[in-house]
Amino acid sequence: MSDTTTGPVLAADGRPLKASLNRALRRQKLRAMMLIAPLLIFILVSFVMPIADMLFRSVENQIVSDTLPRTTALLPDWDGEGAPDDMIYEALARDLAVAVEAKAHTRLGSRLNYERTGISSLLRKTGRGVDEIGETPQDVLEGVNDIWKDRDAFGRLIGTSEWVDAINAWDGEDSSTRIAPEFNANSSFAEQFPGTTSLYASYVLQSVSEEDNPLGEKPWPILFHVLAQELPSATPPSDVPEELALALREAATALDGVVLDDPRAVFLDIDDDWGDQGVWTTIQTYGPAYTNGYFLNSIDMQKGLDGPEWRPENEQIYIVLFIRTMIMSLTIMGMCVLLGYPIAWLLANLPDRKANMLMILVLLPFWTSLLVRTSAWKVLLQQQGVINDVLVWIGIVADDGRLQLINNQTGTIIAMTHILLPFMILPLYSVMKTIPPSYLRAAKSLGATNWTAFWRVYFPQSVPGIGAGCILVFILSIGYYITPELVGGTKGVFISNRIAYHISSSLNWGLAAALGTILLAVVMLLYWMYDKIVGIDNVKLGG
């Protein structure tokens, strides 16, 4: 037996007591984690992940580099003066040939059209004519040797025999349930014809994405164009099939002196805008996979060749909207405090029967649709509406001088104050209900007037309720967009209305994400300032 005076203290099961305690604590923590796991998962899925996705979308710009990989790789070397050289037009022709087959050029056009109007239609128009590049060498090669008419000619020439067999086997079975074999190029051919090999790899990837056998599809004309460009300086490899090696030698002889298609001329013939420096500058500027362009647009700036620059004055709208949103939200919050404080005081001090009836009236708007309440304000506030009719009837305003209460900031403030007022009253009521009436009686018995007793005794104890109500009303108001959209017109809308427009109408999700991120940052900054000035610990919802 061990010495009990020097050995570890043991539990009933013979384990060291310290280890048993640690094991029990781990089990308790694990049980606690299992209890809160559903809530954590819900918060992660419904709150953290959407915010992370919004942050990513606000800087993500991969569609340009993914759709035009060859072009964006060359454009950084362009000096930005005039139109780029022929090499960049050549790269654009190859990229667009792939993009048109994948129908990605329209999505690319939509993205770039956010930065420069007209690029979307330019790319759609170009997509209908870019397939002409390569028809000249294709006609020559097919006229020299019929092997070029075979749809598998490029596959047998560029791919390894193992890949040819594998892709045919994949197509011979149910290709929709199997992963297509990865394209494997003949290394000696790829060394002599790198451009043709790269473009054919894109052709294979596009074909198998549509569950088609690339050896059974008609090759793109631009493959003949790139092959014809590389033939004069290349040596046909010896490890390709003999009939294809012969066809390559015959092609080199037949193409001697043939004028190949000029991508620059083809693009300019499709549309003169391909000679516009601004189009190429836009592609160059937004070529990187990640961009700060959305954030610059959110503060009325844009990316320029020399760095960020201000947009023209007639295009600057977002800073005005941010300022308007903050001012109107603070105004609505202040109106709710002025109107909600006396109502909450009545609720807290009236007899229960009367207080309950008043509380029903406070909660009644929650039982009515937000859209119905907003539409009702449209009826009340219009120039021929109820409010103006009453004012004219009692003689406060003339019939020809009716007040403009809708489609402006006034209408938005009135309607949103009514809608958000309960969110101010309820926190105030819950705090005021906990203030003992005896405090005021004690202050009056010591000689304080009604005003002094209220201001020095009652009001300080209700401040936590004011803080809670202000936070609720302010945060809710800056995110509202239905009410400002219906009653605000052009001068009473918030930044949230612009975010909703970019999500649902213009589909510029990147700009919407950037605007939302800035709005979130502003709210967090104001929350931090409130905590430093007032103290978040002073915010209470009761007790």
Side-chain angles (χ1 to χ4, degrees):
M1 297 180 62
S2 61
D3 188 354
T4 57
T5 61
T6 59
V9 179
L10 302 180
D13 58 358
R15 297 174 181 269
L17 181 59
K18 185 176 181 179
S20 296
L21 289 174
N22 290 336
R23 184 181 180 186
L25 288 174
R26 285 196 300 269
R27 288 179 176 175
Q28 289 180 356
K29 291 179 180 178
L30 183 60
R31 291 192 192 99
M33 286 295 295
M34 291 178 64
L35 288 173
I36 66 173
L39 178 60
L40 289 177
I41 294 173
F42 175 78
I43 294 175
L44 180 66
V45 173
S46 64
F47 184 72
V48 178
M49 291 179 62
I51 291 179
D53 182 67
M54 179 180 68
L55 294 173
F56 176 73
R57 285 182 180 274
S58 65
V59 297
E60 188 270 334
N61 191 50
Q62 296 177 355
I63 184 173
V64 181
S65 57
D66 288 349
T67 309
L68 304 177
R70 300 169 181 85
T71 307
T72 53
L74 296 175
L75 274 177
D77 298 330
W78 175 51
D79 59 6
E81 297 295 332
D85 56 29
D86 293 344
M87 185 179 299
I88 294 180
Y89 280 98
E90 179 70 38
L92 180 65
R94 300 182 188 186
D95 287 335
L96 282 183
V98 180
V100 169
E101 290 296 327
K103 296 182 175 54
H105 66 298
T106 55
R107 291 187 288 109
L108 172 67
S110 298
R111 167 66 186 96
L112 294 177
N113 208 64
Y114 300 146
E115 314 302 335
R116 184 181 178 88
T117 304
I119 293 187
S120 179
S121 58
L122 175 63
L123 285 172
R124 285 197 301 269
K125 184 178 180 181
T126 305
R128 295 189 290 267
V130 72
D131 57 354
E132 297 177 1
I133 300 175
E135 290 182 351
T136 298
Q138 181 179 7
D139 293 338
V140 172
L141 266 61
E142 290 180 352
V144 171
N145 194 324
D146 288 341
I147 198 172
W148 295 110
K149 298 180 181 179
D150 296 341
R151 298 191 172 190
D152 63 349
F154 276 95
R156 293 191 295 117
L157 179 66
I158 303 175
T160 61
S161 58
E162 292 80 5
W163 174 78
V164 171
D165 294 339
I167 199 70
N168 283 325
W170 169 79
D171 185 54
E173 301 180 14
D174 187 2
S175 58
S176 62
T177 60
R178 298 183 61 226
I179 299 176
E182 184 178 356
F183 175 66
N184 190 11
N186 185 322
S187 58
S188 57
F189 185 91
E191 182 179 353
Q192 294 292 324
F193 299 88
T196 308
T197 305
S198 173
L199 189 58
Y200 187 76
S202 300
Y203 163 79
V204 171
L205 185 62
Q206 177 57 32
S207 296
V208 297
S209 68
E210 299 176 357
E211 299 180 5
D212 293 328
N213 186 347
L215 301 180
E217 297 297 311
K218 188 176 181 179
W220 303 335
I222 199 169
L223 282 167
F224 292 91
H225 173 75
V226 179
L227 178 65
Q229 284 183 318
E230 295 180 327
L231 264 175
S233 60
T235 302
S238 58
D239 55 350
V240 299
E242 179 59 31
E243 67 274 15
L244 289 170
L246 175 62
L248 281 176
R249 290 191 292 270
E250 292 176 347
T253 303
L255 289 170
D256 186 22
V258 174
V259 178
L260 300 179
D261 298 318
D262 181 7
R264 177 196 287 268
V266 172
F267 281 122
L268 292 177
D269 184 60
I270 293 173
D271 198 303
D272 291 338
D273 282 349
W274 283 116
D276 186 354
Q277 174 183 328
V279 172
W280 289 101
T281 300
T282 302
I283 298 175
Q284 181 190 51
T285 303
Y286 292 91
Y290 300 96
T291 180
N292 62 352
Y294 291 124
F295 282 102
L296 291 176
N297 289 338
S298 299
I299 55 174
D300 296 326
M301 300 185 73
Q302 61 185 354
K303 294 183 67 174
L305 293 177
D306 300 325
E309 58 188 30
W310 289 103
R311 285 189 172 274
E313 188 173 351
N314 60 343
E315 297 180 9
Q316 297 180 13
I317 60 173
Y318 293 115
I319 291 181
V320 173
L321 281 175
F322 273 115
I323 295 174
R324 179 193 298 169
T325 299
M326 294 299 123
I327 293 176
M328 292 181 64
S329 297
L330 290 172
T331 303
I332 293 166
M333 182 188 73
M335 294 292 293
C336 286
V337 172
L338 293 177
L339 296 175
Y341 196 94
I343 297 175
W345 185 87
L346 285 174
L347 284 169
N349 292 279
L350 284 176
D352 289 342
R353 184 173 181 180
K354 294 181 180 180
N356 291 337
M357 181 60 67
L358 187 58
M359 179 63 75
I360 291 175
L361 296 178
V362 170
L363 297 177
L364 189 61
F366 286 128
W367 305 336
T368 308
S369 167
L370 173 63
L371 189 60
V372 172
R373 283 181 281 165
T374 305
S375 300
W377 277 111
K378 287 178 65 71
V379 175
L380 292 171
L381 295 174
Q382 59 185 319
Q383 283 190 306
Q384 302 300 323
V386 176
I387 294 177
N388 268 297
D389 284 346
V390 171
L391 293 176
V392 170
W393 179 66
I394 61 180
I396 295 180
V397 299
D399 189 50
D400 57 351
R402 289 173 176 260
L403 301 179
Q404 183 69 34
L405 299 176
I406 200 170
N407 295 330
N408 52 26
Q409 296 183 21
T410 303
T412 300
I413 292 173
I414 293 174
M416 288 189 61
T417 299
H418 167 256
I419 290 170
L420 297 178
L421 187 58
F423 294 98
M424 178 65 71
I425 294 174
L426 294 177
L428 281 170
Y429 168 74
S430 65
V431 171
M432 290 178 177
K433 195 66 177 175
T434 63
I435 301 175
S438 58
Y439 286 5
L440 290 177
R441 292 196 296 269
K444 292 178 183 179
S445 68
L446 294 174
T449 64
N450 288 336
W451 170 252
T452 302
F454 168 78
W455 184 249
R456 299 289 297 275
V457 177
Y458 192 88
F459 182 79
Q461 296 182 79
S462 66
V463 167
I466 297 176
C470 287
I471 291 177
L472 278 174
V473 171
F474 180 77
I475 292 179
L476 287 173
S477 63
I478 62 174
Y480 253 66
Y481 68 94
I482 294 178
T483 303
E485 185 71 23
L486 293 178
V487 302
T490 57
K491 297 183 178 180
V493 295
F494 286 4
I495 192 65
S496 52
N497 296 98
R498 204 64 187 171
I499 295 174
Y501 166 76
H502 287 306
I503 290 176
S504 61
S505 297
S506 72
L507 302 182
N508 191 350
W509 288 14
L511 180 55
L515 290 170
T517 301
I518 293 176
L519 189 61
L520 176 63
V522 169
V523 171
M524 296 301 295
L525 176 62
L526 292 174
Y527 183 84
W528 176 81
M529 292 174 59
Y530 182 91
D531 183 40
K532 290 297 182 181
I533 297 173
V534 178
I536 199 64
D537 293 337
N538 292 326
V539 174
K540 296 180 181 178
L541 293 175

